[in-house]
Amino acid sequence: MSNLSQLLEPIADVFRKMGLPDPIIHWGHPLMMAIVIFVMGSFVGWAGWRGRLVSDTDTANKSRSDHRKVAPWMFLFLAAGYTGGVLSLVMQHEAILDSPHFWTGSVVLLLLGINAAIALTRFGNDKASFRTVHAYLGSTALCLLFVHAVLGLKLGLSI
């Protein structure tokens, strides 16, 4: 058992004692995260790119506004889901650090955290290069989320 698993074991034990049904422990995280990734993630990516590419100013502004409203919630849900996924693995006595699914999730949160920091700087005081990095970094994170989902399904089916 890794140090991380040992550290989280007391928390996982509290959840184990709640008597949650095994399918919830096993498939709850994947189901909730699939909704976040495929629904919210697709919308956030679509709205962000639409805000950059559409020529109509009103439509572009609406898309940017939608992106700004939903993206922070998506990040929050992904971070919460990341925590739930790690605890789910500990509850099932599975290795955490050996899982490519764990590492892709970690990288996605790092990329989205960097993207949030870029946005919080107001894109370096509205520099086009910061906006471009933000767009491509976010798109990379979304593509990695799709890979992450495939690795998660593979992991779920193997346990």
Side-chain angles (χ1 to χ4, degrees):
M1 183 180 285
S2 72
N3 289 342
L4 181 57
S5 293
Q6 290 173 346
L7 180 69
L8 295 173
E9 182 56 39
I11 299 167
D13 194 48
V14 168
F15 283 98
R16 265 192 224 101
K17 289 178 180 172
M18 289 180 174
L20 296 170
D22 287 339
I24 298 295
I25 293 168
H26 192 81
W27 293 109
H29 166 79
L31 177 63
M32 294 298 111
M33 290 299 91
I35 294 167
V36 173
I37 292 168
F38 294 110
V39 177
M40 291 182 88
S42 297
F43 178 78
V44 166
W46 174 79
W49 278 102
R50 189 166 188 230
R52 286 179 61 86
L53 299 176
V54 72
S55 57
D56 179 61
T57 305
D58 291 338
T59 303
N61 288 337
K62 170 85 169 87
S63 291
R64 280 193 219 96
S65 174
D66 290 345
H67 179 79
R68 266 191 312 273
K69 288 175 189 170
V70 178
W73 287 106
M74 184 188 85
F75 181 78
L76 177 68
F77 291 147
L78 286 172
Y82 176 92
T83 305
V86 169
L87 279 175
S88 173
L89 286 175
V90 175
M91 289 173 71
Q92 296 174 78
H93 303 287
E94 292 293 325
I96 298 170
L97 300 177
D98 295 341
S99 167
H101 181 70
F102 168 81
W103 291 108
T104 56
S106 299
V107 171
V108 162
L109 284 182
L110 177 65
L111 293 176
L112 292 177
I114 292 168
N115 238 14
I118 291 170
L120 288 172
T121 68
R122 297 191 172 268
F123 304 98
N125 292 323
D126 207 24
K127 293 180 183 163
S129 60
F130 277 64
R131 289 186 177 279
T132 299
V133 168
H134 177 83
Y136 284 99
L137 196 59
S139 295
T140 300
L142 285 176
C143 289
L144 187 54
L145 275 171
F146 287 102
V147 171
H148 177 73
V150 170
L151 291 172
L153 180 61
K154 181 179 172 187
L155 175 63
L157 292 172
S158 74
I159 348 186

